Amino acid sequence: MTTVLRCPVVVGRAGELAEVHRLVAATASGRGGALAVVGEAGVGKTRLLDAAASAAADAGLLVLSGRAVQGGGSYRAIAEAVVGRLDAPAVRESPAVRPYRAVLDALVTGGAGAADGADPAVVLGEGVLRVVCALAAGRAGCLLRLEDLHWADEDTLAVVEYLAVAVRDRPVLVAVSSRDEPAEAAAAARLRALPGITAVHVRRLAEPDVAALAAACRGGRPLPPEVVRDLYRRSDGLPFLVEELLAEPGREVPPSLEALVAARLAALDAPGRTVLRAAAVLGPDPDWGLLAAVSGVADADVVGALRRAVDVGLVVRADAGALRWPHALARDAVLATLLPPERVVLAARAAQLLAERAGPDDEPRAAELFAEAGRPRDAARVLLRLARRAAGRGALHSADALLARAAAAVSGLDGEIAGEIVRERVSVLTLVGRADEALAIGDAHLDALTGPGPTGSAHAELCLRLARTAVTAARWTAAQDYVERAGRPDDPRSTVLRADAAFGAGRAAEAAALAADAVTRAEEAGDPAALCEALGISARTTWQTDLPATAASFRRAAQVAAEHGLTPWRVTALFGVGMLEALDGDAVPTLHRARELAAEAGMLAQLASIDLIESDLVLHTRGPIAALDLALRGADAAARLRLPQLRTQALEQVAAYRAAAGDAAGAAEVLASIGPRPPWANPFRGFATAMEALLEHDLPRAVAAMNPTMPLVRRDRGIVLLSPVGLWVLLRTAADDRAAEARAELTAMAGGLSSTIRAGIGYADAVMAGRSGGPQDAVAHLRAADAALAGRPWWRRLLRLVVLGCAIADGWGDPVAELRADLAAHGQAGDAHLERACQDLLRRAGAPTRRRGRTAVPPRLAALGVTGREIDVLSLVARGLTNAEIAERLVLSRRTVETHVASLLAKTGAASRRELRRWADAG
């Protein structure tokens, strides 16, 4: 019997072990990190990760382990690490994990997680991180160990990239290993390049370390120096080979590993050798139960062969009595003893068995074995199934790689499978944002898919796929052309795609008619998915013209989706209904239902969008500070999910809320972080840039700030009109800036206006009536608009500042009494900036109010003895006002203002007004 003595200690890795212990200690203290152990096969990567696991366990960390295997399929290592823990109470009951259950469960079932535009790697990575943190609750943290990532799919590597960054503020250490030989170096290079990762390159041992390793394997008994030298020469310092070469009895230094394995195989009988070679063909992690069928050896003889293989060291017992290769190098050496024809025969048998059993780890290996056996069509069919499954799980890059392999396998062959592969590639490439490549690949195969029967059907299906890709790429004319080439006018999908393309091209009336036709065709065909899509397009065509019709389309889509289990469509439709509730109502029960369902389905992009819609309602009711939290949460989610358009929209709302809270500098900083103005329109950008001027009653400047954005919003029929549009009409009316034209354009499509926008127009009517000598009409319009915004008190108080300023200037109503009532409401709500603006108007009306000492003083300035009145002066200095302007604003003498400024300079130690501005910003 051959006994391979494994070294009980890690030898020659002092520096590497120091890094491991440093990272484990940092993780236990709450600072997570990432470790990549790279090196060639047999150099000791697993031994170093074993040391990391041991140190982590000693430090109180939970250890989770997974391993990639050759042909193991998408997310294999990650699934092995976490799938067995998903039903743990800590995970099942965790609210933080709930939105990620769908994508995590897909690891178990192989089914589809929700797909709503979010980056699948980010969604799975965040889900895994939340599972790990939930499992580690009450512990010092967790070590997530993922081995052999040179065999991992592209999507697993993308998840690891996300985790390597995301764990920095969590008590989680991600430790991975990968080979770095030339044929397998890509994964190692990618891992070593990750920002902030600690990369440990494990190298071969020097001769003194080989001597130490040999002595440790021999119970502390050293080898003679000349034997060590020969051992070092033959092993070339590779630790695994040192241990294997020490195992042969009766020989101080055996030959190479290949010769050693050949000698051990020779010790088996003929059936035993066949069994071991069949195991090598099955793969690096074979199912030993298949060996009888693959090798053609009887079950009893297989058992005897495996026992003898264990005796000679070709197979070893692992945990729980399982059998495994001692190392991938040992399996490679067994494979090298096979003649090519022998390998082809064994590969064909193994591939057929694995494909028929079709377990989660079977088909990836079956595809490789069919290719080895010279059966490319069979390999392609398996790869196509794997690609569809990977795409369903969100592993889009893996799906693309599998489809590319399938296409290469059938290159030059005709048949229906080629068309299926191309169609799937078009869909996958579209989902990963490579629409132009998808169109090019599809176009290149269209001519080959013409003719009667299945081929013609494949041509039509590919055309419809390409039409959808063209819509995604905003190539509207191309989309129409592909639909015509499909030649399926009665197919509801054709009409849906034509409607979508017409709407995208700006032909709203044509799109509405086509959408209505698509609804009819989908109903007749009994196609619920096409019906939901048609109803969605129909809803979009009436965004700005008929909100009740929009709501009806969304409600119908939600009903159809619920009846047929189309969860993504149901969430989308409920979101549409909920958004309309937020525009017009004071409660949003449907939006809350959409949130619950989106969380259950794992539609994280939709959750972020719901945050933004709800933040708008919160702004109207409770003010910008309360709304800011939701907008920031939406912006953070959009950034993590890598949704640039949603992130930009969220940041524009963040900027608007900061400006509405009086933080003009903060708003400008947020807008600057977005970069150049995006090609789409968002009314909140104009609101953010106008708010400072509005609070200072500089209405022409406020209008000028909103003017560049609002016409774009009005022309974009793909978005609903939001409340800043009503504010814009009011500001233009108050500033007398061609308001009649803008108002007429809006009121012409009254069915598309929310009650909030109509209230803004009502306030504008009050201004126009007061200016044209109709004071009673002006008051009536004011009261009607007030009533319309009864449930939105903050927005009402903001708009009334504009209206009552005009009432003062034009001499109608009782603006002083109205302003005093609003002043009290501003103060009660803690809206200091609205309160200050209201006081400015009262001073203009000749009814000044003094609030000496009532302004809140930030603790840092209060410690310097700064008073409330000095804070009033400081805030206006920070806005760039001169002493004369400040005196007028605060109803003080110029000398008094000069005294306050001098006092502020002395108390803060600032050398200039510019430095005082920094104190104002810092608080």
Side-chain angles (χ1 to χ4, degrees):
M1 177 175 178
T2 299
T3 301
V4 179
L5 298 173
R6 301 301 176 192
C7 183
V9 295
V10 179
V11 173
R13 311 296 187 201
E16 292 88 339
L17 285 172
E19 284 295 308
V20 165
H21 287 285
R22 179 186 66 80
L23 289 169
V24 169
T27 302
S29 66
R31 301 186 310 278
L35 168 69
V37 179
V38 299
E40 64 183 301
V43 80
K45 301 183 296 297
T46 296
R47 188 67 59 85
L48 199 57
L49 288 185
D50 286 342
S54 178
D58 290 344
L61 273 65
L62 171 70
V63 178
L64 301 176
S65 299
R67 183 167 61 95
V69 298
Q70 187 176 5
S74 58
Y75 301 133
R76 201 259 190 204
I78 295 169
E80 183 178 336
V82 302
V83 158
R85 309 286 189 126
L86 293 181
D87 285 332
V91 175
R92 192 173 57 249
E93 299 165 7
S94 169
V97 174
R98 184 187 172 210
Y100 299 87
R101 286 293 323 196
V103 70
L104 291 165
D105 288 344
L107 289 176
V108 182
T109 64
D116 63 347
D119 187 319
V122 172
V123 176
L124 180 57
E126 186 66 22
V128 168
L129 183 55
R130 293 183 184 217
V131 167
V132 165
C133 289
L135 291 170
R139 295 173 176 259
C142 179
L143 169 68
L144 179 61
R145 170 181 175 172
L146 303 173
E147 289 193 74
D148 294 339
L149 294 193
H150 49 277
W151 280 324
D153 58 291
E154 173 75 15
D155 296 282
T156 294
L157 295 176
V159 171
V160 171
E161 287 179 338
Y162 176 79
L163 289 172
V165 176
V167 299
R168 292 176 184 173
D169 59 349
R170 313 280 186 92
V172 177
L173 174 60
V174 179
V176 303
S177 69
S178 176
R179 291 184 189 173
D180 67 348
E181 288 104 329
E184 300 162 325
R190 182 169 171 178
L191 293 168
R192 293 171 73 175
L194 292 179
I197 198 167
T198 298
V200 172
H201 189 188
V202 185
R203 303 182 185 279
R204 296 192 176 203
L205 298 176
E207 185 174 328
D209 295 321
V210 169
L213 188 151
C217 288
R218 291 161 48 85
R221 295 177 291 111
L223 286 171
E226 64 277 9
V227 176
V228 169
R229 282 194 297 274
D230 207 5
L231 180 60
Y232 174 67
R233 178 180 61 81
R234 291 181 179 274
S235 68
D236 200 17
L238 193 65
F240 169 74
L241 190 50
V242 170
E243 293 173 336
E244 290 291 323
L245 294 177
L246 286 170
E248 292 301 301
R251 298 183 65 181
E252 292 283 1
V253 182
S256 67
L257 179 63
E258 288 75 11
L260 182 152
V261 169
R264 292 178 184 174
L265 274 173
L268 306 179
D269 57 16
R273 290 191 293 273
T274 301
V275 167
L276 261 290
R277 287 165 177 155
V281 168
L282 272 170
D285 198 15
D287 182 342
W288 307 97
L290 294 177
L291 288 179
V294 176
S295 65
V297 175
D299 285 336
D301 292 334
V302 167
V303 172
L306 290 176
R307 181 171 294 281
R308 182 61 180 151
V310 170
D311 290 342
V312 299
L314 285 172
V315 176
V316 297
R317 290 188 178 91
D319 296 337
L323 298 178
R324 63 175 177 82
W325 297 107
H327 196 278
L329 291 174
R331 178 206 167 224
D332 292 343
V334 173
L335 277 176
T337 67
L338 277 166
L339 295 174
E342 293 176 309
R343 187 163 179 172
V344 165
V345 170
L346 290 172
R349 288 181 195 164
Q352 196 64 47
L353 285 167
L354 291 172
E356 290 171 358
R357 193 171 68 171
D361 290 335
D362 293 338
E363 289 190 296
R365 185 62 184 147
E368 295 179 346
L369 291 170
F370 273 131
E372 290 180 25
R375 293 166 58 178
R377 199 182 300 274
D378 290 326
R381 291 193 181 280
V382 175
L383 289 168
L384 180 59
R385 288 198 299 271
L386 288 170
R388 286 170 171 158
R389 189 179 307 151
R393 300 169 76 179
L396 300 177
H397 297 290
S398 297
D400 181 41
L402 290 164
L403 290 167
R405 286 170 56 196
V410 297
S411 177
L413 301 178
D414 55 8
E416 186 179 350
I417 188 172
E420 292 184 62
I421 293 168
V422 172
R423 288 200 302 276
E424 291 300 325
R425 285 206 80 187
V426 167
S427 295
V428 168
L429 289 169
T430 302
L431 288 172
V432 297
R434 292 155 58 189
D436 288 342
E437 186 177 348
L439 293 173
I441 288 175
D443 279 333
H445 287 80
L446 270 177
D447 290 341
L449 296 174
T450 56
T455 301
S457 176
H459 176 270
E461 288 297 323
L462 179 56
C463 284
L464 292 178
R465 295 276 180 107
L466 289 169
R468 187 167 299 282
T469 298
V471 166
T472 302
R475 293 171 62 172
W476 317 119
T477 301
Q480 297 276 13
D481 291 343
Y482 284 125
V483 171
E484 290 179 11
R485 292 174 70 180
R488 296 285 181 88
D490 295 329
D491 190 321
R493 294 175 298 169
S494 297
T495 314
V496 164
L497 289 164
R498 289 177 60 208
D500 213 349
F503 187 77
R507 303 192 301 273
E510 178 186 347
L514 286 168
D517 185 26
V519 168
T520 301
R521 292 180 183 276
E523 289 172 335
E524 293 172 349
D527 188 338
L531 178 55
C532 287
E533 189 172 3
L535 288 166
I537 297 171
S538 180
R540 285 158 52 201
T541 63
T542 54
W543 268 139
Q544 296 187 9
T545 57
D546 192 345
L547 290 182
T550 296
S553 294
F554 277 136
R555 288 194 180 95
R556 173 89 191 283
Q559 292 167 354
V560 172
E563 181 180 352
H564 294 278
L566 303 174
T567 299
W569 269 116
R570 187 181 178 201
V571 172
T572 300
L574 289 175
F575 172 73
V577 175
M579 181 163 57
L580 297 181
E581 287 177 348
L583 289 177
D584 262 332
D586 301 330
V588 285
T590 307
L591 195 64
H592 293 160
R593 283 172 54 208
R595 180 189 291 281
E596 285 296 305
L597 191 57
E600 195 68 32
M603 297 178 66
L604 303 179
Q606 198 70 276
L607 283 175
S609 296
I610 290 170
D611 281 340
L612 298 184
I613 293 299
E614 199 162 355
S615 74
D616 184 36
L617 178 59
V618 171
L619 170 73
H620 292 166
T621 54
R622 294 159 50 201
I625 300 301
L628 186 60
D629 289 339
L630 280 169
L632 285 170
R633 189 168 75 183
D636 176 67
R640 282 189 293 103
L641 298 173
R642 299 173 188 171
L643 299 169
Q645 181 169 344
L646 184 62
R647 175 181 174 272
T648 295
Q649 293 170 344
L651 289 176
E652 287 172 334
Q653 287 186 232
V654 168
Y657 302 156
R658 289 199 186 281
D663 183 9
E669 184 178 344
V670 171
L671 290 177
S673 72
I674 297 173
R677 179 172 293 169
W680 56 86
N682 184 353
F684 282 98
R685 176 179 280 267
F687 179 35
T689 55
M691 194 64 201
E692 180 183 16
L694 189 157
L695 290 172
E696 294 178 357
H697 306 289
D698 188 346
L699 301 188
R701 183 158 64 92
V703 170
M706 296 191 81
N707 274 343
T709 303
M710 291 304 157
L712 297 175
V713 171
R714 285 166 34 234
R715 286 197 297 268
D716 186 351
R717 294 302 177 91
I719 63 173
V720 70
L721 295 177
L722 299 176
S723 54
V725 174
L727 171 63
W728 174 68
V729 171
L730 172 58
L731 287 172
R732 290 191 67 168
T733 303
D736 196 23
D737 179 28
R738 298 183 302 279
E741 176 188 349
R743 184 183 178 286
E745 287 181 11
L746 283 175
T747 53
M749 47 187 194
L753 302 181
S754 67
S755 60
T756 309
I757 295 177
R758 291 197 301 272
I761 295 173
Y763 284 132
D765 290 341
V767 171
M768 291 173 63
R771 185 171 295 158
S772 59
Q776 292 182 340
D777 288 343
V779 172
H781 286 305
L782 174 63
R783 293 288 173 261
D786 283 346
L789 292 181
R792 299 174 182 247
W794 188 90
W795 192 249
R796 180 178 63 181
R797 288 189 276 117
L798 176 69
L799 269 58
R800 278 169 58 88
L801 284 174
V802 179
V803 180
L804 295 175
C806 292
I808 293 170
D810 298 330
W812 58 269
D814 189 1
V816 171
E818 301 269 2
L819 285 167
R820 288 195 185 280
D822 283 356
L823 181 65
H826 296 323
Q828 187 175 7
D831 294 320
H833 297 282
L834 296 187
E835 188 178 9
R836 187 173 297 137
C838 192
Q839 288 178 318
D840 290 344
L841 287 178
L842 283 167
R843 281 189 284 273
R844 291 186 185 185
T849 61
R850 292 184 177 272
R851 301 195 309 114
R852 191 180 304 276
R854 286 179 56 197
T855 298
V857 182
R860 184 181 176 199
L861 292 173
L864 301 176
V866 175
T867 67
R869 195 47 154 175
E870 287 169 348
I871 287 294
D872 292 336
V873 172
L874 179 60
S875 67
L876 296 176
V877 169
R879 295 190 197 182
L881 273 65
T882 66
N883 286 350
E885 291 169 333
I886 294 171
E888 180 182 358
R889 181 70 60 88
L890 298 180
V891 194
L892 299 172
S893 71
R894 183 170 179 174
R895 183 178 293 270
T896 300
V897 173
E898 290 172 351
T899 300
H900 283 314
V901 171
S903 176
L904 285 166
L905 291 169
K907 290 177 179 178
T908 61
S912 65
R913 292 172 79 93
R914 176 173 294 181
E915 289 190 21
L916 276 182
R917 293 178 189 175
R918 295 179 187 151
W919 278 91
D921 292 338

